[in-house]
Amino acid sequence: EDQGRYVIEVAAADESTITALAATQKLNVERLGVPTTGDLIFADGTRSTQKALKALHEAWLPTYMNGEA
């Protein structure tokens, strides 16, 4: 059993195909945002650089293991 969530990047032309396929497997799909040249713009309008998101992703485990989280 897996309680995780997965983030995938899909070409705009394939979005409806992926959404339909997920529905046949009873999987929930949510559009999170749209990547641009340097930023990710989330559905609620929040923006973040890809570099900042990568740094957060790569730092959380060492921070957690050091008891800082």
Side-chain angles (χ1 to χ4, degrees):
E1 184 173 328
D2 189 345
Q3 298 297 320
R5 294 180 181 170
Y6 298 90
V7 176
I8 61 171
E9 182 178 349
V10 176
D14 297 328
E15 184 176 357
S16 61
T17 301
I18 296 298
T19 302
L21 180 61
T24 66
Q25 300 300 310
K26 299 182 180 170
L27 298 173
N28 294 324
V29 174
E30 184 174 338
R31 186 175 196 204
L32 296 177
V34 178
T36 61
T37 57
D39 292 347
L40 182 63
I41 305 168
F42 293 91
D44 68 356
T46 302
R47 296 177 78 110
S48 181
T49 65
Q50 294 173 13
K51 184 178 180 178
L53 290 174
K54 180 181 180 192
L56 286 170
H57 173 73
E58 291 177 350
W60 83 267
L61 183 59
T63 300
Y64 177 78
M65 296 301 288
N66 287 329
E68 301 170 20

